[in-house]
């Protein structure tokens, strides 16, 4: 495999011949208010950015993970099976707890679980003007450390040059209904502009009782104090109510009912009709930029993210002592009940920055301070006999997390061909936990101090760019890791990353990018099946593991842009050098240890192929309906292991899907437009699962492997109309 990778890379290097000098690209972080999407779709930076014009045509209400799935080495999944509601993604096998996600430079990852829940920001894409993906360590980011990839979203939706109004209505399979209404004032006295978006997305979901009802509001306002001072306020509100489908479907139910959902079952065999997740989140963001001179810019970002919600569930035969319940009338000690698990949190902070630029040097200094205050508490809202509560909440716990980090970025041009980039981050994290639901007396005060350096050498010659990136990243354990590690706290994880990238723009019609990478982990946290002293399963540090691979991306167009494409392929080897599995033996009341060497890392397919091909058959003709487009999005994902034992019975099968989008644009009176949309997802009707989990146990001298899958919907459709007035 290594020989093949090296041969392909060498071939691509020899193949590259160019005619003109490539555009100089800045590596230092720019203020969010000044970021603009690239107009040249074939330059090097565009390989990391989504083509928003194509995705806008195919946005049928799915969350961001589904819209990212056309990019290289990206695999997405959805609990409900349709891409609406709870969904996630993996980039190079890295999940969302290790992917740094930011909106306008403000952290989105939950401070404790370190995951990102895009369900809390519905229809975010409708206000986004740039989405960039960095793989590997990438440059420094505010918030949870980038430990495999980062997703940066800019949705400061104030780019309109004229007053604007838009109504987008779409309907599709499983009663999926998307409504978006957006207004912009356009520039007023060249000083002020505001945009308002209202969105609602509802769907029955593919999986039983996985319906979702998502609502969003975004208000963005920019005020130009003068030509050198700029102020932007951004407010986002998201509300979600989704049916719980996070248990998946048992393996034995897949052949007969792949839409089965076991959650919410009651003692009489019926299902509770409000087995739901409910959450509301608000973002307040304020940006200030001041241009001191042509070379120096300073600025600040202040932000507050407020979240509150709960999930409600029906539980069978629960012990009253665990819930501080007492029944003095019927003298019973357990029964069915309905409970709510609440989370109420504030996350706030400030970011200060200064940048300097001249012909040879770009320099930026950034300082970030943030604080998370979270409350975890639980309520019992019903018992069949009206048992009394000894206290209002059966648990009421707090957690605090503070972070202070500084980083500097330097981009130095030795000459017109050779550039050096340096990025050094000093990150300090203090995390205080005051008990856990299952371990209320377990308190911790933890401090982590990380130094994360990255460097990159870039050599450009005409239209070819060669780069070598090296970096080190560190990441603290999450809340669950700390809770389940009673006697010995987990160690922080470390990642060493090296990547060689070759970009070549052959001409105005074709560009390629080839990347060869190695990601070496130290103390990566993985599930082993091991339980701690209180019976909870815990992730364990594994000493050494790695990912290495080759990614090739082609972009181009033919026939005067009547055909455009972005096709990508990712080939990888992902291994844990030494892995111990623990299996519960209920016959003996112990755990049995099995050791493995050089096993594949779970959920890390060795081959991922994808991309988008777009056809514009009537472009550059005299037909009034020349703005007709067809988009084809193929995806192939090879076999994935769902644990780290290389067990062939614990895999996700390889699958191929193809999505098709058709759009016709009708324009009259120059400023009035109607877009007619038709989307067909999974046109091959592939029945596949893109996520799963497993555990094993021994009982009556027999080994049982329990596997739950998350099936995705087959063939489905959506139709829509979008009206624009500008």
């Amino acid at each position: 495999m290594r020989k093949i990778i090296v041969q392909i890379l060498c071939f691509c290097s020899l193949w590259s011949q160019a005619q003109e000098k490539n555009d100089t690209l800045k590596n230092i972080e720019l203020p969010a208010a000044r970021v603009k999407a690239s107009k040249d779709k074939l330059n090097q930076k565009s390989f990391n950015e989504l083509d928003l014009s194509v995705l806008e045509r195919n946005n049928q209400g799915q969350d961001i993970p589904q819209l990212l799935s056309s990019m290289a080495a990206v695999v997405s999944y959805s609990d409900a099976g349709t891409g609406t509601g709870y969904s996630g993604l993996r980039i190079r096998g890295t999940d969302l707890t290790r992917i740094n996600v930011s909106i306008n430079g403000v952290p989105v990852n939950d401070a404790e679980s370190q995951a990102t829940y895009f369900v809390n920001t519905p229809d975010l894409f409708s206000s986004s003007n740039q989405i960039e993906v960095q793989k590997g360590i990438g440059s420094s980011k505010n918030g949870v450390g980038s430990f495999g990839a980062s997703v940066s979203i800019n949705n400061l939706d104030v780019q309109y040059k004229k007053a604007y109004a838009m109504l987008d209505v779409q309907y599709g399979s499983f009663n999926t209904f998307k409504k978006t209404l957006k207004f912009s004032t356009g520039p007023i006295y060249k000083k002020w502009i505001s945009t308002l978006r209202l969105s609602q997305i509802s769907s029955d979901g593919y999986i039983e009782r996985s319906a979702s009802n998502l609502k969003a509001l975004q208000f963005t306002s920019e005020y130009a104090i003068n030509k050198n001072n700029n102020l932007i306020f951004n407010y986002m509100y998201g509300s979600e109510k989704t049916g719980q489908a996070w248990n998946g479907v048992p393996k034995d139910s897949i052949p007969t009912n792949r839409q089965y959902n076991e959650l919410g079952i009651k003692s009489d065999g019926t299902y509770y009709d409000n087995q739901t997740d409910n959450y509301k989140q608000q973002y307040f963001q304020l940006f200030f930029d001041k241009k001191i001179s042509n070379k120096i810019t300073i600025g600040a970002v202040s932000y507050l993210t407020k979240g509150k919600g709960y999930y409600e569930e029906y539980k069978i035969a629960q012990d009253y002592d665990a819930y501080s319940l007492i029944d003095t009338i019927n003298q019973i000690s357990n029964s069915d009940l309905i409970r709510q698990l609440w989370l109420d949190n504030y996350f706030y902070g400030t970011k200060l920055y200064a940048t300097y630029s001249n012909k040879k040097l770009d320099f930026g200094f950034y300082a970030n301070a943030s604080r998370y205050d979270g409350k975890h508490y639980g309520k019992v809202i019903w018992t069949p006999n009206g048992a009394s509560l000894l206290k209002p909440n059966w648990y009421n716990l707090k957690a605090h997390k503070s972070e202070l980090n500084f980083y500097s970025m330097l981009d130095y041009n030795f000459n017109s061909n050779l550039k050096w980039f340096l990025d050094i981050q000093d990150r300090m994290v203090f995390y205080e936990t005051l008990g856990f639901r299952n371990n209320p007396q377990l308190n911790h005060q933890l401090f982590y101090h990380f130094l994360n350096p990255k460097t990159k050498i870039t050599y450009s010659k005409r239209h070819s760019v060669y780069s070598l990136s090296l970096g080190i990243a560190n990441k603290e354990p999450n809340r669950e890791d700390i809770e389940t590690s009673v006697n010995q706290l987990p160690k922080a994880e470390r990642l060493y990353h090296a990547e060689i990238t070759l970009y070549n723009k052959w001409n105005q019609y074709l560009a390629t990018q080839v990347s060869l990478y190695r990601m070496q982990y130290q103390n990566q946290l993985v599930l082993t099946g091991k339980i701690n002293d209180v019976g909870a399963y815990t992730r364990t540090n594994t000493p050494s593991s790695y990912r290495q691979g080759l990614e090739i991306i082609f972009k181009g167009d033919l026939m005067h842009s009547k055909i455009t494409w972005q096709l990508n392929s990712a080939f990888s080897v992902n291994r844990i050098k030494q892995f111990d599995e623990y299996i519960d033996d209920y016959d003996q009341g112990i755990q049995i240890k099995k050791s493995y060497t050089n096993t594949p890392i779970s959920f890390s397919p060795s081959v991922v192929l994808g991309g988008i091909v777009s056809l514009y058959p009537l472009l550059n003709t005299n037909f009034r309906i020349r703005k007709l487009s067809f988009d084809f999005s193929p995806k192939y994902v090879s076999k994935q292991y769902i644990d780290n034992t290389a067990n062939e019975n614990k895999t996700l099968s390889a699958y191929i899907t193809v999505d098709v989008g058709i759009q016709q644009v009708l324009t009259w009176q120059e400023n009035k437009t109607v877009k007619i949309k038709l989307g067909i997802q999974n046109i091959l009707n592939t029945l596949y699962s893109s996520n799963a989990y497993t555990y094993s146990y021994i009982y009556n001298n027999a080994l049982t492997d329990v596997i739950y899958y998350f099936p995705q919907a087959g063939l489905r459709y959506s139709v829509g109309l979008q009206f624009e007035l500008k």
Side-chain angles (χ1 to χ4, degrees), residues 283-309:
Y283 287 81
F284 301 84
Q285 302 174 346
L286 183 64
F287 304 84
F288 174 73
D289 289 320
K290 181 177 180 61
K291 188 176 181 181
I292 303 294
S293 67
N294 290 332
K295 295 181 179 180
I296 300 174
T297 299
I298 62 172
V301 181
S302 294
Y303 54 88
L304 165 65
T305 303
K306 170 72 174 73
K308 186 174 183 178

Side-chain angles (χ1 to χ4, degrees), residues 461-489:
K461 188 174 182 180
R462 296 180 180 177
H463 266 183
S464 293
V465 181
Y466 307 84
S467 66
L468 169 64
S469 303
L470 301 171
I472 300 174
N474 297 273
K475 177 178 171 296
E476 70 274 19
N478 63 31
R479 176 182 174 87
E480 188 173 290
D481 294 324
I482 294 167
E483 178 183 6
T484 55
S485 300
V486 177
N487 293 326
Q488 183 177 358
L489 288 171

